[in-house]
Amino acid sequence: MPHDTVLIAGAGIGGLTTALALHARGIDATIMDRTPTLRPIGVGINLLPHAVRELTNLGLGDALRDIAAAPHSICFYDHTGELLFREPRGLAAGDPHPQLSVHRGRLQMLLLEAVRSRLGGIAVRAGTTVDGFIQDSDRVQVRTTAGTLSGAALIGADGIGSTVRAALHPGPDPLMWAGITMYRGAASMPAFLDGSTMAIIKGDNGVDLVTYPIGGGLVNWVLQVPTGDPGELDGDAQWNLAAEPAEVSRHLTRWRLNWLDLDALVARTENIFRYPMVDRNPLAYWGVGRVTLLGDAAHPMYPVGANGGSQAIVDARVLADEYAVGGLAGLLRYEDQRRPETTEVVAANRQMHHAFSEGTADLDRVTSAYRSDTARSRRA
């Protein structure tokens, strides 16, 4: 492997987009992922207009729109179906690009196919777990389960449980729990209302349902249920535990929505997952020398405001721009730009979650939080 290759840990949305962005600037990249076989798993994700812009600039705009839904508004309702407020999104809000809602696995497969087509079939090394790394003035050597790989830089895009982050920051770095358990799924059913609306329904006792079509005949949904006091999570997050339909349905028994069949939403979901709403406190720095972080490995955030995946995609473009111009010095400039920006988003997502959790009594605060998020997204 040439020593000028950039090594990327993680073949998720951030890692794959980084490889494409580097390749577009004439820089070779190799991705390592611990998963033996990359498959289209997961549920829905929203891409804000700034993320759609970046993928469009990489030549993926048409293919992305073919597999996604494009919401023109997000509407808040109470559990009786009364509309509380509506906020335009994407093109309807005056952005030059749409907001797109898509199945995370389908998006990942789209990016994976593009990487393999443009960078070659061996650019993504599945079943290759990063165990650690050492670096010197000439290169970084990455120890993996498939042997040692050498390159010019290492980008830790290996998610919220990042091995690269743990090596760079070996001290305490707990997951911070919002006190919310999320139940997630994608139902095979027709889209509700006009097919281009996101909805957040606020129920009793802080229970919220977020739902939106994601293309391909699927409706994504997330039920957020308060189940404890916020604070440090005891142990790991135990991602993607299976949940039973009854665990969801019991929270919706008194809801009455004439535009959405809640029983069908749950019953037509093949797999329901349960996991905690968590983030981590922002780091004082991301990387050292030839190694840095990106996406959830750098700035995990609450899934509020549709910003997690979108921020990883912006990370990829900024890193590629700066590295192409400045090499290793560009990695530091990337961090200097993106770390304060993403720290602001982490804080804003926490504030937005707190506004939501107070229910409809503070509707002005909820409205303000969403409009502030829209304005922040346009500046990305």
Side-chain angles (χ1 to χ4, degrees):
M1 180 178 297
H3 290 331
D4 58 354
T5 297
V6 173
L7 304 175
I8 301 170
I13 292 168
L16 292 166
T17 305
T18 301
L20 291 171
L22 287 168
H23 177 263
R25 291 153 181 80
I27 299 166
D28 196 19
T30 295
I31 304 174
M32 306 156 289
D33 195 276
R34 65 172 62 92
T35 306
T37 303
L38 296 170
R39 298 179 293 109
I41 61 174
V43 286
I45 183 175
N46 273 287
L47 297 178
L48 296 179
H50 54 271
V52 176
R53 175 194 67 209
E54 304 300 346
L55 294 180
T56 299
N57 289 342
L58 288 170
L60 299 173
D62 290 342
L64 177 59
R65 285 187 286 273
D66 285 345
I67 62 172
H72 58 62
S73 61
I74 182 166
C75 296
F76 275 71
Y77 297 87
D78 67 17
H79 67 280
T80 69
E82 180 183 354
L83 179 65
L84 303 176
F85 82 89
R86 175 184 287 109
E87 181 73 15
R89 308 298 282 180
L91 298 176
D95 292 299
H97 295 278
Q99 177 172 322
L100 294 178
S101 305
V102 63
H103 190 283
R104 180 184 290 272
R106 291 176 181 168
L107 172 60
Q108 184 184 13
M109 293 301 103
L110 173 65
L111 296 170
L112 178 63
E113 181 181 353
V115 168
R116 287 174 169 164
S117 174
R118 299 177 190 184
L119 280 73
I122 63 171
V124 179
R125 303 194 178 193
T128 303
T129 301
V130 173
D131 291 330
F133 59 86
I134 58 173
Q135 60 176 315
D136 56 30
S137 60
D138 295 322
R139 60 184 176 174
V140 57
Q141 296 185 37
V142 181
R143 300 188 307 276
T144 80
T145 52
T148 299
L149 302 180
S150 296
L154 171 63
I155 312 303
D158 46 344
I160 196 170
S162 169
T163 298
V164 179
R165 177 176 173 132
L168 289 168
H169 302 273
D173 189 19
L175 293 169
M176 304 303 297
W177 184 40
I180 299 293
T181 295
M182 298 185 296
Y183 298 89
R184 299 197 63 172
S188 179
M189 62 185 294
F192 52 84
L193 294 173
D194 60 2
S196 298
T197 299
M198 296 179 61
I200 296 181
I201 304 100
K202 302 195 68 62
D204 295 329
N205 303 318
V207 176
D208 294 336
L209 177 68
V210 183
T211 185
Y212 48 89
I214 55 175
L218 295 175
V219 173
N220 190 75
W221 58 269
V222 186
L223 186 73
Q224 301 177 355
V225 181
T227 53
D229 295 325
E232 293 185 11
L233 188 69
D234 185 16
D236 62 35
Q238 296 183 307
W239 302 111
N240 292 332
L241 290 177
E244 294 298 323
E247 295 181 62
V248 176
S249 297
R250 66 188 182 89
H251 296 287
L252 306 175
T253 54
R254 293 189 295 148
W255 292 27
R256 297 292 179 269
L257 306 175
N258 59 16
W259 47 267
L260 178 61
D261 186 337
L262 294 171
D263 290 335
L265 187 73
V266 177
R268 295 181 184 177
T269 299
E270 183 175 358
N271 297 299
I272 300 175
F273 304 103
R274 178 180 73 244
Y275 49 92
M277 180 187 289
V278 294
D279 64 8
R280 293 191 196 272
N281 290 329
L283 295 168
Y285 65 93
W286 286 353
V288 175
R290 297 177 177 275
V291 184
T292 193
L293 302 172
L294 183 143
D296 282 348
H299 47 73
M301 56 188 65
Y302 292 166
V304 178
N307 242 319
S310 296
Q311 291 298 321
I313 290 169
V314 175
D315 285 351
R317 190 265 301 165
V318 175
L319 185 147
D321 281 348
E322 296 295 349
Y323 188 79
V325 172
L328 294 184
L331 295 183
L332 182 58
R333 289 200 296 269
Y334 150 75
E335 179 182 332
D336 286 344
Q337 175 180 335
R338 291 299 293 155
R339 191 171 59 81
E341 291 175 347
T342 55
T343 295
E344 180 184 354
V345 177
V346 170
N349 281 12
R350 288 177 175 181
Q351 293 169 3
M352 194 180 302
H353 165 67
H354 293 324
F356 293 168
S357 65
E358 293 177 3
T360 58
D362 197 1
L363 184 57
D364 288 343
R365 187 179 171 198
V366 174
T367 307
S368 176
Y370 243 88
R371 288 175 177 162
S372 296
D373 178 67
T374 300
R376 186 182 303 105
S377 298
R378 289 174 180 160
R379 297 196 300 269

